[in-house]
Amino acid sequence: MTKILMIDDDVELVELFRDYLQTEGFQLDFSHFGLSGLQLALTGAYELVMLDIMLPDITGTEVLNRIRQQSRIPVLMFTARGDDVDKIIGLESGADDYVPKPCTPRELVARLRAILRRTSYLEDIATDWPVIAGPLKIWSERRKASWFDKELELTSTEFNLLETLANNFGRVVTKQKLSESSLGRPLAHFDRSIDVHMSSIRQKLGCQSDGRSYIQTVRGQGYQLIKG
């Protein structure tokens, strides 16, 4: 069974999700506190972490920041419904996606499966040749990327976005396509997830000598990894 960790202090919600997820082929472990949850998340025993932004000891954002210092494990954050600030903070801190509370178990399972499909790690094999897009190299099966021959530290969603841009090097990719290929879901109205992830990627790539970003926004269309 796929092992998932849930860090949330809502006892009833944890029990509800644990029972439902078990019927869907998941094993759910949990912690009601941020610090103990952080320790579990870094053990390497789990394939994904579900993390509430509000916890009794430290914030979910602080837990996420500490996870990202040591691990690329996929993280799905719970946010307050309609609270764009929480969503943006979570994404900027390295969350792969978010789901608003309250959500149905069915919606949660769909999000989990979408993330796990995108982040399943395959064994390194000799035929894993990189996609080369200028100074960018992408090894899809190893989930590895380098920029000017230096390895990039990317979240799983950032990797997926950059991989999609690399496969369309020099061409504009719509936000709808980026959302479907990288988040596993259609782009929702007023959803800024792609923009926030792209901002983080841009910071990691830096700028060209003339100050321009390597990833250009094409207004009304999408994003483009430029050829120079």
Side-chain angles (χ1 to χ4, degrees), residues 64-93:
L64 179 57
N65 285 331
R66 296 190 192 185
I67 289 175
R68 282 291 169 256
Q69 290 172 8
Q70 302 181 52
S71 173
R72 299 185 192 178
I73 185 172
V75 176
L76 175 69
M77 291 204 78
F78 291 112
T79 65
R81 183 170 295 277
D83 193 337
D84 290 335
V85 173
D86 282 352
K87 297 171 185 176
I88 292 170
I89 289 174
L91 294 172
E92 287 179 339
S93 299

Side-chain angles (χ1 to χ4, degrees), residues 55-125:
L55 294 166
D57 49 352
I58 62 174
T59 67
T61 304
E62 178 61 24
V63 174
L64 179 57
N65 285 331
R66 296 190 192 185
I67 289 175
R68 282 291 169 256
Q69 290 172 8
Q70 302 181 52
S71 173
R72 299 185 192 178
I73 185 172
V75 176
L76 175 69
M77 291 204 78
F78 291 112
T79 65
R81 183 170 295 277
D83 193 337
D84 290 335
V85 173
D86 282 352
K87 297 171 185 176
I88 292 170
I89 289 174
L91 294 172
E92 287 179 339
S93 299
D96 293 276
D97 204 356
Y98 62 85
V99 62
K101 278 187 174 182
C103 68
T104 65
R106 185 175 180 180
E107 178 186 4
L108 179 65
V109 167
R111 291 291 184 94
L112 292 175
R113 286 181 171 155
I115 294 175
L116 291 169
R117 279 197 302 269
R118 302 192 315 267
T119 59
S120 57
Y121 288 86
L122 303 177
E123 294 182 359
D124 296 351
I125 57 176

Side-chain angles (χ1 to χ4, degrees), residues 1-218:
M1 299 179 77
T2 302
K3 293 187 68 175
I4 291 176
L5 174 65
M6 184 172 180
I7 306 175
D8 196 309
D9 64 338
D10 189 329
V11 177
E12 292 184 0
L13 185 67
V14 169
E15 290 298 322
L16 170 66
F17 284 155
R18 184 170 66 171
D19 292 342
Y20 187 87
L21 289 173
Q22 186 171 358
T23 67
E24 296 291 326
F26 296 94
Q27 177 183 326
L28 182 66
D29 293 344
F30 63 89
S31 172
H32 296 312
F33 294 90
L35 290 174
S36 57
L38 172 64
Q39 293 178 340
L40 289 171
L42 296 176
T43 61
Y46 302 98
E47 295 182 48
L48 185 145
V49 173
M50 296 189 294
L51 175 63
D52 191 16
I53 203 162
M54 296 296 293
L55 294 166
D57 49 352
I58 62 174
T59 67
T61 304
E62 178 61 24
V63 174
L64 179 57
N65 285 331
R66 296 190 192 185
I67 289 175
R68 282 291 169 256
Q69 290 172 8
Q70 302 181 52
S71 173
R72 299 185 192 178
I73 185 172
V75 176
L76 175 69
M77 291 204 78
F78 291 112
T79 65
R81 183 170 295 277
D83 193 337
D84 290 335
V85 173
D86 282 352
K87 297 171 185 176
I88 292 170
I89 289 174
L91 294 172
E92 287 179 339
S93 299
D96 293 276
D97 204 356
Y98 62 85
V99 62
K101 278 187 174 182
C103 68
T104 65
R106 185 175 180 180
E107 178 186 4
L108 179 65
V109 167
R111 291 291 184 94
L112 292 175
R113 286 181 171 155
I115 294 175
L116 291 169
R117 279 197 302 269
R118 302 192 315 267
T119 59
S120 57
Y121 288 86
L122 303 177
E123 294 182 359
D124 296 351
I125 57 176
T127 56
D128 184 19
W129 297 101
V131 173
I132 299 176
L136 175 67
K137 295 180 182 177
I138 296 273
W139 289 266
S140 297
E141 294 190 7
R142 282 183 282 172
R143 306 285 296 177
K144 176 183 175 182
S146 70
W147 182 247
F148 287 101
D149 295 323
K150 292 185 178 180
E151 186 171 356
L152 283 170
E153 295 290 334
L154 302 168
T155 67
S156 59
T157 299
E158 289 170 357
F159 180 91
N160 294 330
L161 287 168
L162 199 52
E163 181 182 33
T164 301
L165 291 177
N167 286 327
N168 293 273
F169 190 34
R171 299 191 297 272
V172 178
V173 185
T174 66
K175 288 186 180 181
Q176 185 65 251
K177 181 176 180 179
L178 287 167
S179 183
E180 291 173 352
S181 64
S182 302
L183 297 177
R185 56 180 170 83
L187 185 68
H189 200 43
F190 298 122
D191 189 343
R192 293 190 55 200
S193 302
I194 298 297
D195 301 321
V196 177
H197 286 303
M198 282 297 180
S199 176
S200 177
I201 295 171
R202 281 171 164 157
Q203 291 179 16
K204 294 177 180 181
L205 298 185
C207 296
Q208 301 182 80
S209 57
D210 60 3
R212 291 187 303 156
S213 172
Y214 287 94
I215 298 176
Q216 294 291 307
T217 302
V218 181

